[in-house]
Amino acid sequence: MAGLVTAFLAVVALAAVAALGAGAGMANVFGIAVPYVAVAIFVAGFVKKVIGWASTPQPFSIATTGGQQQSLPWVKQAKFDNPSTPFQTVVRMALEVLCFRSLFRNTKLDNRPEEGRVAYGSDKSLWLFSLMFHYSFLIVLFRHMRFFLEPVPMLVTGVEFVDSILQIAAPTLYLTDVFFVVGVTFLLARRIWDPKVSYISLVSDYFPLFLILAIALSGIYMRYFAKVDVIAIKQLAIGLVSFKPVIPPNIDWSFYMHFFLVCVLWAYFPFSKLMHLGGVFLSPTRNLPNNTRMVRYINPWNDPSIKPHSYADYEDDFREKMIEAGLPVDKEA
Amino acid sequence: MSKMAPPEEVMKVDYSTPAEPWMDVKPEFKLGNYSYPGKPDVLKYLGLPNPREWDPTQEDWKLPPDWREIVTDGFRELLKKYRSLKVFMDVCVRCGACADKCHFYIGSGDPKNMPVLRAELLRSIYRGEFSVAAKILGKLSGSRKLEEDVIKEWFMYFYQCTQCRRCSLYCPYGIDTAEITFLARDLMNRIGVNINWILEPVANCNRTGNHLGIQPHAFKDMMDFLVDDIETITGRRVEPSFHRKGAEILFITPSGDIFAEPGIYTFMGYLLLFDYLDLDVTWSTYASEGGNFGSFTNDKWMKKLNAKMYHEAKRLGVKYIIGGECGHMWRVLNQFMDTMNGPADFLEVPKSPITGTVFNNAKSTKMIHLVEFTADLIKNGKLKLDKSRNAGITATWHDSCNTSRGMGFFDEPRYVLENVVEKFVDMPAQTIREQTFCCGGGAGLNNGEFTEMRLRGGLPRGNALRYVQEKFGVNTMSCICAIDRATLPGLADYWAPGVQVTGLHELVGNALVFEGEEERTMNLRQEDLPGVEGSEEDE
């Protein structure tokens, strides 16, 4: 509970800082200085973390197998849950990263002592809403390219067109905006209401959810309610990416709030669990093939000086008893 | 063990979470929920630090004065050696997908048995000791200082994990609690916090070649005893050999198979099969333990014990190795052996002398599982099998965790089983194959003092078993793991009374029809075969 409240208040405070600060003539700070610093922290932090993982040896090949191994020719292998070749492993990783394969498998414990039964029902809610959240986030992010690029590429306008296909309201409603908010709200609600999950939740679990929700809501406010000056914002964005930053007049405070929260997310990212974005590719239970009997896997720190208690020493210890029992020995007594 | 409540009571697990945050809840050691500590002389023999008499229920655990430094330095060392640890410490999002997947959580309701929280026991120290940001934010970031209570909590929960890897299957990042438990145990070993039921077997395996400390002459005696039994049952005198140089195959199985029921029946099945095929196979008393208790301790002991297999194969000059029915043996063999103790360039790629099948899936380790070997024999029509000898049996199959999630054996054992019994049904889909539930005794937890917790952890497996018992009349659960054969009979007695536990090759041994054999009247357990007892009982 303390974690929930702290995270909520932290996000409210951050939003207030930006809203008040920008209003008080600090647009330069929130429009130019903060984004540069935040992106620098993100890039440096992300790279450092990934290099830290990648440069640490993976001593053993420890694939978790999710189906039949490669075996006799007539036994059908579960190629993508128990891969034995690099290609199959890449497919397994792709299914994991793109389709959240492991979460798809999720079950829910249903203990019914009065019936004397324990059941494990399929539970795809976490899979569904996580997928919804992540893909909406990706598309929303992609749509934002129109602010940074001139001319706007066809692909970006194409995605926008599909995303606003229902043409509800003016400006037209993006479907991903809705899915995004629904997804993140589900993840937050689940974290609060499922006692198991709330028991393990830390500030660092609630904070990114509140932060992302605040980013989404402030963005929606800007677009649909404040109806901010998009031309001016694009001018600012292009100024930033071309390293000729300008602060156009007439940008609503709500933009600075939205933008500042995004910057906080960038800067926070490398130090948080959000690094699962990078880590998922490095998980040795998923990114290694289960071919360890076919191909020797090398452990760089394998210590050749560790030897078994030798047979010779063993025989020295038990020779007489072995001879008496009629067991062959290498050296006679 | 304290008196265990009946299953219908134990099933009423309280899954509510405590009012206070988990960091404020201290572990409570009660008879039945922890294992006894390592004995001083065993630690001394193994060269492990801090040998002493101590009792987990007492306040003072007699840790070495610099224990804090040892643990943090050790943690730092492991983070440099294991990418798995580093990634698993960093990427968990606490989504909770793993939470209700652990058999110990399902059976106890203790939130610290949720895999995510089990890992947080370590992660909180990782953040508290190694992360600057978390240090500043303190408890709010889920970080904490290393205190004695933390070590006590580790001892409780990392010895309430059987490294079955079920949680890892469901984790979106593949976070593997077996890996976390393995490394946490390594850290605890550095300050003398360990359990005897792991360390004594390690010491025994090292010195005598098997986890029970059976000396070579006694090992041979036990084998002779089983050979006599086989003669009583089948009229055949099988003649297994030991340490025979130049044999084609070295056979290694867990020593549990020779020591106790029902493992011995599986052992007799092996002997019968080899005799039937006239296989050029030899046994070793030196390398007579397939199960690797070192893997419950640290990477050094895992490697050292495993190395005996190749050492002995080389000395005897065999062509390749066949391994028996064992769980952790196959986790170590499949995923670690070649890395630690290869290349096995003095051996040849296994080729069945009976069918000619080349086992390319073992072309580097040169070691195959008996179940692959037998499945290949059956497929090629090389075994005459009479299912009716197992006619009283309605069988189900227990996918042992390590041969399923650590390797991927599903269809081979089922194929063999379907060829030796008339009636076979699987347990419900979400309790078998890769989703299988642990017996509760893996990773060194099959000791007497831990029985109560183990039976609670056996709830999911036991309940699935009772389901097929009631619905389909299942009376036999077959498996390919020696720990299963040791643990499951007790689990079945408690959760599904009346179900017996067998190894796979016990049933193969029963069904094998030898050329010109005398008619069998008993199975390998020396019970009357179905139809045979009828003549007397009917009267």
Side-chain angles (χ1 to χ4, degrees):
Chain A
M1 210 46 201
L4 177 78
V5 174
T6 311
F8 179 73
L9 292 178
V11 173
V12 170
L14 287 167
V17 164
L20 297 174
M26 290 169 74
N28 274 321
V29 175
F30 290 98
I32 300 171
V34 169
Y36 278 133
V37 172
V39 171
I41 293 174
F42 173 77
V43 173
F46 197 102
V47 169
K48 184 166 179 268
K49 200 94 184 186
V50 172
I51 288 177
W53 289 330
S55 61
T56 307
Q58 175 52 35
F60 299 108
S61 177
I62 56 167
T64 308
T65 66
Q68 175 63 40
Q69 66 167 351
Q70 184 187 346
S71 175
L72 296 156
W74 48 273
V75 177
K76 191 172 182 286
Q77 180 193 1
K79 288 197 171 69
F80 306 132
D81 274 337
N82 193 345
S84 55
T85 67
F87 173 73
Q88 291 164 6
T89 312
V90 167
V91 174
R92 179 185 209 189
M93 280 305 288
L95 285 171
E96 194 63 66
V97 173
L98 301 175
C99 309
F100 299 6
R101 176 84 180 83
S102 295
L103 269 187
F104 186 75
R105 221 191 285 268
N106 196 26
T107 58
K108 192 178 168 136
L109 171 69
D110 179 13
N111 187 358
R112 306 174 193 163
E114 62 290 345
E115 293 171 39
R117 290 270 182 275
V118 191
Y120 315 91
S122 169
D123 180 9
K124 301 215 183 321
S125 61
L126 182 58
W127 169 79
L128 181 71
F129 287 99
S130 303
L131 210 60
M132 184 192 282
F133 165 68
H134 283 85
Y135 273 101
S136 304
F137 204 158
L138 184 70
I139 294 168
V140 170
L141 201 66
F142 187 73
R143 278 204 273 100
H144 277 66
M145 289 302 115
R146 74 186 169 116
F147 293 105
F148 297 96
L149 301 170
E150 189 57 53
V152 180
M154 280 292 284
L155 195 60
V156 177
T157 46
V159 166
E160 270 187 357
F161 174 74
V162 176
D163 201 354
S164 54
I165 199 94
L166 289 186
Q167 299 207 358
I168 301 167
T172 48
L173 181 73
Y174 289 122
L175 295 176
T176 45
D177 284 359
V178 178
F179 291 145
F180 188 40
V181 173
V182 169
V184 73
T185 305
F186 172 84
L187 295 179
L188 187 57
R190 178 179 172 277
R191 203 166 271 292
I192 296 166
W193 281 317
D194 185 334
K196 292 195 300 297
V197 186
S198 83
Y199 196 61
I200 54 174
S201 294
L202 305 168
V203 178
S204 54
D205 297 311
Y206 292 114
F207 178 70
L209 285 171
F210 279 123
L211 184 62
I212 290 167
L213 185 61
I215 289 170
L217 294 177
S218 58
I220 287 169
Y221 174 80
M222 278 166 65
R223 177 175 162 79
Y224 301 100
F225 299 97
K227 301 193 175 155
V228 292
D229 183 347
V230 176
I231 308 293
I233 289 172
K234 180 152 183 172
Q235 220 181 328
L236 185 144
I238 288 188
L240 284 172
V241 291
S242 59
F243 293 101
K244 288 176 201 134
V246 282
I247 297 290
N250 305 327
I251 296 185
D252 191 64
W253 62 271
S254 62
F255 163 75
Y256 289 104
M257 184 170 81
H258 178 71
F259 197 38
F260 180 65
L261 294 174
V262 171
C263 290
V264 171
L265 186 66
W266 286 118
Y268 175 73
F269 201 101
F271 311 100
S272 70
K273 68 171 195 174
L274 302 176
M275 278 306 289
H276 66 269
L277 169 67
V280 66
F281 294 95
L282 283 142
S283 182
T285 56
R286 297 290 190 270
N287 71 7
L288 290 165
N290 178 33
N291 63 353
T292 29
R293 283 196 296 158
M294 289 172 246
V295 183
R296 187 164 182 239
Y297 181 89
I298 303 295
N299 171 4
W301 51 260
N302 187 32
D303 181 357
S305 73
I306 297 173
K307 301 272 190 220
H309 176 67
S310 74
Y311 174 80
D313 288 346
Y314 171 85
E315 195 182 292
D316 285 348
D317 208 359
F318 298 113
R319 183 168 295 109
E320 271 155 39
K321 289 169 178 168
M322 287 172 76
I323 292 169
E324 213 170 298
L327 290 167
V329 287
D330 277 358
K331 271 195 278 181
E332 290 304 323
Chain B
M1 186 188 100
S2 54
K3 186 92 176 80
M4 187 86 182
E8 46 290 6
E9 287 303 310
V10 169
M11 262 201 84
K12 293 177 190 155
V13 183
D14 177 9
Y15 294 109
S16 64
T17 45
E20 62 271 59
W22 66 263
M23 281 188 197
D24 300 339
V25 182
K26 287 184 182 180
E28 195 188 335
F29 291 91
K30 292 181 295 196
L31 215 55
N33 76 358
Y34 70 97
S35 305
Y36 296 148
K39 290 179 187 149
D41 54 330
V42 177
L43 267 71
K44 276 183 207 147
Y45 173 80
L46 294 172
L48 287 172
N50 202 17
R52 72 212 180 281
E53 291 285 352
W54 64 288
D55 179 354
T57 60
Q58 300 293 305
E59 186 60 32
D60 182 11
W61 282 24
K62 302 177 191 168
L63 300 181
D66 55 343
W67 70 268
R68 206 176 256 111
E69 251 182 297
I70 297 172
V71 172
T72 43
D73 289 352
F75 207 150
R76 203 168 285 121
E77 181 196 324
L78 294 179
L79 284 165
K80 284 197 185 105
K81 286 168 81 178
Y82 283 86
R83 181 191 301 162
S84 48
L85 180 66
K86 214 171 157 58
V87 171
F88 295 163
M89 289 292 107
D90 285 330
V91 302
C92 177
V93 300
R94 286 168 293 278
C95 72
C98 61
D100 55 358
K101 306 302 181 284
C102 172
H103 53 283
F104 281 124
Y105 172 73
I106 294 172
S108 72
D110 185 339
K112 285 183 189 169
N113 273 322
M114 298 193 290
V116 50
L117 201 38
R118 201 188 304 279
E120 287 290 310
L121 304 180
L122 212 55
R123 228 176 254 132
S124 56
I125 300 303
Y126 168 72
R127 289 188 288 254
E129 300 288 337
F130 304 117
S131 149
V132 182
K135 263 183 187 164
I136 299 164
L137 291 166
K139 229 175 171 174
L140 267 179
S141 66
S143 66
R144 57 178 173 169
K145 286 278 147 212
L146 188 57
E147 303 295 349
E148 275 194 68
D149 279 340
V150 171
I151 299 294
K152 292 180 178 178
E153 197 181 44
W154 285 4
F155 179 74
M156 174 74 96
Y157 294 101
F158 290 117
Y159 286 102
Q160 275 184 17
C161 167
T162 49
Q163 306 185 338
C164 79
R165 308 179 93 207
R166 190 171 193 267
C167 49
S168 164
L169 181 76
Y170 297 92
C171 174
Y173 315 109
I175 295 172
D176 183 3
T177 304
E179 192 82 347
I180 288 170
T181 293
F182 177 81
L183 296 171
R185 288 179 177 189
D186 180 334
L187 288 180
M188 286 189 280
N189 267 313
R190 294 167 192 237
I191 52 170
V193 174
N194 34 44
I195 70 172
N196 200 59
W197 207 79
I198 289 173
L199 295 186
E200 201 161 303
V202 171
N204 285 338
C205 290
N206 188 55
R207 178 167 176 264
T208 64
N210 59 75
H211 83 277
L212 297 153
I214 304 166
Q215 298 191 8
H217 57 294
F219 193 93
K220 182 166 183 299
D221 278 353
M222 291 165 127
M223 177 94 93
D224 287 343
F225 179 77
L226 297 178
V227 168
D228 289 345
D229 275 1
I230 288 174
E231 193 171 9
T232 310
I233 296 158
T234 66
R236 295 184 72 87
R237 187 83 193 162
V238 302
E239 284 169 353
S241 69
F242 280 101
H243 303 176
R244 185 161 51 82
K245 290 190 179 173
E248 185 179 359
I249 301 160
L250 170 66
F251 184 74
I252 301 174
T253 197
S255 58
D257 281 350
I258 198 167
F259 173 71
E261 291 179 15
I264 52 170
Y265 309 121
T266 304
F267 198 97
M268 288 154 76
Y270 303 148
L271 291 176
L272 276 171
L273 179 70
F274 299 158
D275 185 62
Y276 181 95
L277 302 169
D278 200 15
L279 206 61
D280 186 9
V281 62
T282 193
W283 299 71
S284 168
T285 59
Y286 162 75
S288 58
E289 179 61 80
N292 191 314
F293 283 77
S295 68
F296 312 147
T297 309
N298 58 33
D299 52 51
K300 180 191 159 196
W301 277 102
M302 171 166 69
K303 174 173 166 146
K304 204 169 155 63
L305 296 183
N306 174 263
K308 281 186 160 190
M309 298 192 188
Y310 281 153
H311 183 66
E312 184 67 341
K314 197 170 191 173
R315 185 183 75 89
L316 297 175
V318 299
K319 285 186 184 161
Y320 61 95
I321 313 171
I322 298 183
E325 300 182 10
C326 186
H328 291 99
M329 168 179 177
W330 284 98
R331 175 86 206 278
V332 173
L333 267 163
N334 184 45
Q335 300 196 314
F336 308 131
M337 183 184 201
D338 208 14
T339 297
M340 295 186 297
N341 293 311
D345 43 16
F346 50 92
L347 296 172
E348 293 173 15
V349 177
K351 179 181 171 184
S352 172
I354 317 296
T355 64
T357 299
V358 179
F359 290 89
N360 280 316
N361 61 341
K363 70 179 170 221
S364 187
T365 54
K366 278 98 170 178
M367 182 156 181
I368 56 169
H369 195 294
L370 187 58
V371 80
E372 302 170 277
F373 186 77
T374 305
D376 173 61
L377 291 169
I378 297 175
K379 186 76 182 175
N380 285 285
K382 300 293 182 188
L383 299 183
K384 192 173 175 203
L385 299 163
D386 179 2
K387 288 183 183 183
S388 73
R389 295 229 189 104
N390 288 315
I393 288 176
T394 302
T396 193
W397 180 251
H398 169 69
D399 293 280
S400 311
C401 301
N402 279 287
T403 56
S404 57
R405 281 175 298 265
M407 185 159 190
F409 262 144
F410 299 107
D411 292 339
E412 301 93 331
R414 282 182 174 77
Y415 178 74
V416 174
L417 188 59
E418 282 171 346
N419 275 283
V420 294
V421 298
E422 289 172 338
K423 284 171 277 180
F424 161 66
V425 277
D426 255 323
M427 287 177 278
Q430 270 148 350
T431 70
I432 56 162
R433 297 181 76 94
E434 63 271 10
Q435 302 189 64
T436 186
F437 275 107
C438 186
C439 66
L445 303 185
N446 195 34
N447 55 67
E449 65 271 20
F450 192 66
T451 303
E452 179 173 340
M453 193 62 200
R454 191 168 55 248
L455 286 178
R456 288 182 190 277
L459 187 156
R461 173 41 78 232
N463 197 265
L465 181 60
R466 197 172 64 187
Y467 176 78
V468 288
Q469 181 190 27
E470 286 171 359
K471 191 155 184 189
F472 303 106
V474 163
N475 57 13
T476 301
M477 175 158 51
S478 192
C479 61
I480 43 169
C481 169
I483 291 287
D484 285 338
R485 283 190 287 279
T487 306
L488 291 175
L491 177 146
D493 280 348
Y494 181 77
W495 287 106
V499 177
Q500 65 170 354
V501 175
T502 74
L504 188 59
H505 280 79
E506 174 186 345
L507 302 175
V508 173
N510 277 336
L512 265 184
V513 181
F514 285 79
E515 205 173 314
E517 65 174 15
E518 38 180 274
E519 197 188 334
R520 277 200 228 174
T521 57
M522 299 182 272
N523 63 19
L524 292 179
R525 300 189 178 203
Q526 304 203 20
E527 297 158 347
D528 290 335
L529 285 181
V532 173
E533 86 281 26
S535 50
E536 282 172 29
E537 276 179 18
D538 286 348
E539 283 165 28

